[in-house]
Amino acid sequence: MADPNRMEFASPFDERLFHEGPPAMFTLDPMGRLRVDPERTREGYLLVGSPEGHEAGHFVLVDRATGLRMYALVSHPVLATCQPRAEVHRYPDYASAVTEAMKQWTMPAPQALDGGDEES
């Protein structure tokens, strides 16, 4: 699994596309690496047209139907903010956004029962 504190791209193609290509959305693959998400990028272009410029943004998208959280890196923020089926939350950096998205997969530690020494 990739380091949750450091952005790691799935391939040189994905990294170059993020830095030099047209605006796109990137999501985490099963190994925790960033990979372009062509379907969500295409949907964004269909909704808002072709965004101009480059402004990296770290987002957590929360599906309105299921509550599932997904980290998204975009090279233009409109690709995240135009999501019609998600609540969109922007974070200042990769680590804080990924940490927030991954909270859904952690379980709280069990709590001790009160009065543990009482005999029946």
Side-chain angles (χ1 to χ4, degrees), residues 64-76:
R64 287 191 179 104
T66 65
L68 287 173
R69 297 169 179 260
M70 178 182 76
Y71 169 75
L73 170 68
V74 295
S75 49
H76 195 290

Side-chain angles (χ1 to χ4, degrees), residues 4-119:
N5 296 308
R6 186 177 66 82
M7 289 190 340
E8 183 180 327
F9 288 89
S11 72
F13 168 79
D14 294 289
E15 186 168 13
R16 185 168 181 190
L17 181 60
F18 174 72
H19 291 291
E20 301 174 21
M25 180 180 286
F26 299 79
T27 54
L28 297 173
D29 71 9
M31 298 300 293
R33 295 176 299 209
L34 292 160
R35 182 179 303 269
V36 68
D37 189 325
E39 295 305 319
R40 286 186 179 88
T41 299
R42 182 176 291 109
E43 181 179 42
Y45 275 71
L46 291 171
L47 290 169
V48 299
S50 182
E52 295 294 324
H54 186 280
E55 180 188 338
H58 304 277
F59 291 86
V60 173
L61 308 178
V62 183
D63 184 273
R64 287 191 179 104
T66 65
L68 287 173
R69 297 169 179 260
M70 178 182 76
Y71 169 75
L73 170 68
V74 295
S75 49
H76 195 290
V78 73
L79 294 175
T81 59
C82 74
Q83 296 298 308
R85 295 174 302 280
E87 293 176 22
V88 179
H89 305 277
R90 189 168 190 167
Y91 288 82
D93 54 46
Y94 174 78
S96 61
V98 169
T99 298
E100 183 60 33
M102 294 304 160
K103 282 182 182 177
Q104 69 190 338
W105 306 115
T106 59
M107 294 181 61
Q111 299 294 315
L113 298 175
D114 289 337
D117 281 349
E118 293 180 24
E119 292 185 29

